[in-house]
Amino acid sequence: MKQYSESCEQNKAPILEVLKQVFHDSKNTFEVGSGTGQHAVYFAKHLPHLTWHPSDLKENLLGIQAWLHDASLENVKPPIEFDVLSPPVNLGRFDAVFTANSLHIMSWSMVQAFFQVVSNLLEQQGKLLVYGPFSYQGAHTSLSNERFDLYLKQRNPDSGVRDFVDVDQLAKNEGLELVEDYAMPANNRSLLWQKC
């Protein structure tokens, strides 16, 4: 069944503007946590030089496939079942990885696994772009993010808005160097790392 996310509709255009800058010379993009599939379709349509590889947990694949079927784009591959704690083997290498609104949903152990897996997926000089809310040195960037963090933790104590310092350290541990931290609408960020 085709799912719909209002937040995807609201953030897709600002994210696309960043993707145009940072993935302009990329060819193969692996998306971790494609959700409904809306982002995959929208970005692939507007970035025809990219081959887009969507992925998510098994229960979300049919919904992603529904979006891909309706869009009928040649540069989007069928969705891949993907879990950061038990990633499939032999996925190959990619020169770009993208994820949106995923790190605050994952547990901390999953966030740690995410950076390990992404480092293995990326080619040398490959780029990782992560979109979502972040705090900085323990401080939220807005009251809405603070409330969102509380909501997440009440729903699942293992989730929550991640601190930039903590995730950047995980990235560094896996050979990823921060290139840029983009301010985005609605108190979100787009963090760009590159594999050294």
Side-chain angles (χ1 to χ4, degrees):
M1 180 180 176
K2 195 172 179 181
Q3 303 292 319
Y4 177 84
S5 166
E6 182 60 37
S7 64
C8 282
E9 283 303 302
Q10 293 173 353
N11 64 34
K12 66 183 184 181
I15 295 174
L16 176 63
E17 291 309 306
V18 176
L19 289 174
K20 284 179 178 177
Q21 295 178 51
V22 302
F23 289 175
H24 70 277
D25 56 352
S26 302
K27 295 179 181 177
N28 277 299
T29 301
F30 188 84
E31 182 183 14
V32 177
S34 298
T36 62
Q38 286 166 259
H39 275 166
V41 166
Y42 183 78
F43 298 148
K45 179 180 178 181
H46 289 85
L47 301 166
H49 68 284
L50 285 177
T51 299
W52 200 269
H53 301 260
S55 77
D56 212 305
L57 301 175
K58 184 177 182 179
E59 57 264 30
N60 295 324
L61 298 186
L62 284 178
I64 297 169
Q65 188 59 53
W67 277 90
L68 301 189
H69 178 267
D70 288 354
S72 190
L73 296 169
E74 293 185 1
N75 62 325
V76 186
K77 297 297 184 182
I80 298 166
E81 182 180 347
F82 185 84
D83 184 332
V84 294
L85 295 178
S86 55
V89 295
N90 301 323
L91 274 179
R93 292 292 184 99
F94 301 86
D95 55 10
V97 173
F98 170 76
T99 193
N101 290 325
S102 58
L103 299 192
H104 59 270
I105 303 299
M106 298 178 184
S107 66
W108 184 243
S109 62
M110 292 174 74
V111 175
Q112 292 172 310
F114 167 83
F115 281 97
Q116 293 168 355
V117 171
V118 166
S119 181
N120 290 330
L121 287 176
L122 281 174
E123 298 174 353
Q124 288 300 116
Q125 305 304 310
K127 298 169 186 173
L128 165 65
L129 187 72
V130 175
Y131 170 87
F134 291 91
S135 59
Y136 288 79
Q137 296 182 326
H140 291 288
T141 59
S142 68
L143 183 58
S144 63
N145 278 6
E146 184 176 356
R147 289 172 177 160
F148 183 51
D149 184 48
L150 182 61
Y151 162 77
L152 289 169
K153 289 174 178 173
Q154 287 174 339
R155 194 180 66 168
N156 180 353
D158 291 330
S159 64
V161 173
R162 303 304 174 190
D163 195 276
F164 165 78
V165 173
D166 296 334
V167 294
D168 188 46
Q169 187 59 57
L170 292 180
K172 286 178 181 175
N173 293 346
E174 299 301 329
L176 301 170
E177 181 178 345
L178 185 74
V179 177
E180 192 64 68
D181 178 351
Y182 298 90
M184 304 293 288
N187 303 302
N188 287 299
R189 315 295 297 187
S190 284
L191 304 178
L192 176 66
W193 287 276
Q194 188 166 29
K195 186 171 180 178
C196 304

